[in-house]
Amino acid sequence: MKTTVFLGTVAAAALIGGMAAADTLADVKARGVLNCGVNTGLVGFAAPDANGNWSGFDIAVCKAVAAAVLGDASKVKYIPTTGQTRFTALASGEVDVLARNSTWTFQRDTDLKLDFVGVNYFDGQGFMVRKDLGVTSAKELDGATICIQTGTSTELNLADYFKHNNMTYQPVNIDSNAEGEQQYMAGACDAYTTDASGLAATRAAFADPENHIILPEIISKEPLGPAVRHGDNNWGDVVRWTLYALIAAEEYGVTSANLEELAKSSTNPEVQRLLGASDDYGKMLGLDKDWAKRAIAASGNYGEIFAATIGEQTPIGLARGLNAQWTQGGLMYAMPFR
């Protein structure tokens, strides 16, 4: 998901500038709960069940950070944010971290002064249509009506793609994924466009997912990842290395099931550091030596989280693709624990 910069950008930047001296780690510890900004509801990534219990790929990041910092993965307050409110919620301090399928862009990094701690999903913008529309390529959408979230750079990507291909379209503006799903299902638009992972998640929630197809064209690069406020570097390090702990654990073969055993028996120096068996890396973050063990134990390593929430055996059905480990031909890797 992407947001363009309007007047809200100035307000957000001003808020961030005023909070540059914040100590979020101390605030979270004192509060005893992590305020995590998430999607308003995207199956597989972040969605509450009938009892209000949240789960998903992005939710696992929130749980891992809470486990690392507070010692308990359940100590999270999930704060739903839309494409238009998410960055203001982060800038104002309403949330401590934004874990909400947001794209790391130049504008957000510099003008909005957000710090993206890393990439947890490499994505790209795509299109979904009903199978009975008879369309098999985005280049066949000339003159189509397209549902698109306002206040997002998805709008700019769409305009650029159609202009480049000498096509026209009629936008059907929506405010959230829920509204987009409703409008698309009601026939208000021929196609729905957003990140391809979001399309897969939306389709999985349909009663008839087999009657909807995601077209093959990917028209943009969308590196998604958690974000924190610029200027609070220690907190950024905590969230960054928590994410890297999950990714590194998969590479090293550390799982939620064997981490205690490996903490005692592994001869890999990076595993020893990761699991607090040798150097006390937690102390460098203002945490204890078992911070990463707790983060991994919360929902598993990166591969376990992917498989359980959005992988090929789930209704979302996403292949690892670019999100496979770098050792398996993908782009996913963690910075070294040394």
Side-chain angles (χ1 to χ4, degrees):
M1 302 292 180
K2 296 76 61 177
T3 296
T4 46
V5 178
F6 298 114
L7 292 178
T9 298
V10 178
L15 282 165
I16 293 170
M19 299 181 66
D23 186 348
T24 307
L25 177 60
D27 292 343
V28 172
K29 286 181 175 181
R31 190 190 311 129
V33 65
L34 174 74
N35 292 332
C36 202
V38 298
N39 203 298
T40 53
L42 186 62
V43 175
F45 283 88
D49 63 17
N51 297 316
N53 298 313
W54 288 80
S55 64
F57 183 77
D58 289 328
I59 296 301
V61 173
C62 303
K63 290 182 176 180
V65 174
V69 174
L70 300 172
D72 188 339
S74 70
K75 291 185 176 180
V76 183
K77 179 180 180 181
Y78 298 104
I79 300 177
T81 62
T82 68
Q84 297 186 53
T85 65
R86 55 187 163 167
F87 298 132
T88 301
L90 179 59
S92 69
E94 181 183 1
V95 302
D96 304 309
V97 59
L98 189 67
R100 189 203 174 283
N101 53 315
S102 297
T103 305
W104 187 349
T105 69
F106 176 94
Q107 207 169 43
R108 292 170 183 175
D109 203 322
T110 58
D111 192 32
L112 277 182
K113 294 181 171 58
L114 304 180
D115 282 351
F116 284 83
V117 302
V119 177
N120 70 335
Y121 193 93
F122 290 95
D123 210 344
Q125 184 174 332
F127 299 88
M128 178 170 63
V129 298
R130 297 169 193 78
K131 188 176 293 186
D132 61 14
L133 188 64
V135 169
T136 59
S137 168
K139 293 182 179 179
E140 299 172 17
L141 291 175
D142 191 16
T145 53
I146 301 179
C147 284
I148 184 168
Q149 289 192 45
T150 55
T152 70
S153 60
T154 308
E155 294 175 294
L156 179 60
N157 293 338
L158 181 65
D160 287 348
Y161 181 78
F162 272 73
K163 181 178 180 180
H164 178 75
N165 287 284
N166 298 312
M167 300 189 303
T168 63
Y169 67 96
Q170 179 64 44
V172 176
N173 296 326
I174 56 174
D175 290 326
S176 66
N177 188 70
E179 183 183 356
E181 177 181 335
Q182 182 181 42
Q183 293 281 27
Y184 171 80
M185 292 300 287
C189 51
D190 299 312
Y192 183 25
T193 185
T194 188
D195 296 341
S197 65
L199 294 176
T202 299
R203 181 178 63 177
F206 292 164
D208 60 341
E210 69 281 359
N211 292 326
H212 305 266
I213 60 173
I214 297 173
L215 299 177
E217 288 83 3
I218 298 297
I219 68 170
S220 69
K221 294 181 296 185
E222 308 297 335
L224 310 179
V228 297
R229 287 179 291 276
H230 183 70
D232 194 351
N233 293 350
N234 186 58
W235 177 244
D237 286 343
V238 168
V239 180
R240 175 178 299 106
W241 286 98
T242 298
L243 172 62
Y244 284 157
L246 303 179
I247 298 170
E250 181 185 17
E251 178 185 342
Y252 302 148
V254 178
T255 70
S256 55
N258 68 14
L259 62 87
E260 291 293 349
E261 176 188 346
L262 289 179
K264 299 174 183 177
S265 64
S266 178
T267 57
N268 182 328
E270 293 205 33
V271 172
Q272 292 176 347
R273 298 182 193 112
L274 174 69
L275 300 181
S278 57
D279 309 66
D280 189 353
Y281 275 31
K283 186 176 181 180
M284 302 178 197
L285 294 171
L287 305 175
D288 63 18
K289 67 181 181 64
D290 290 329
W291 66 279
K293 284 174 62 177
R294 292 193 300 270
I296 299 163
S299 301
N301 65 33
Y302 179 85
E304 291 179 279
I305 293 167
F306 193 106
T309 57
I310 58 177
E312 292 181 294
Q313 301 306 310
T314 70
I316 314 301
L318 294 174
R320 286 293 292 268
L322 295 177
N323 298 293
Q325 285 278 336
W326 68 280
T327 53
Q328 303 297 318
L331 299 178
M332 193 57 60
Y333 71 92
M335 298 300 111
F337 277 78
R338 61 174 184 266

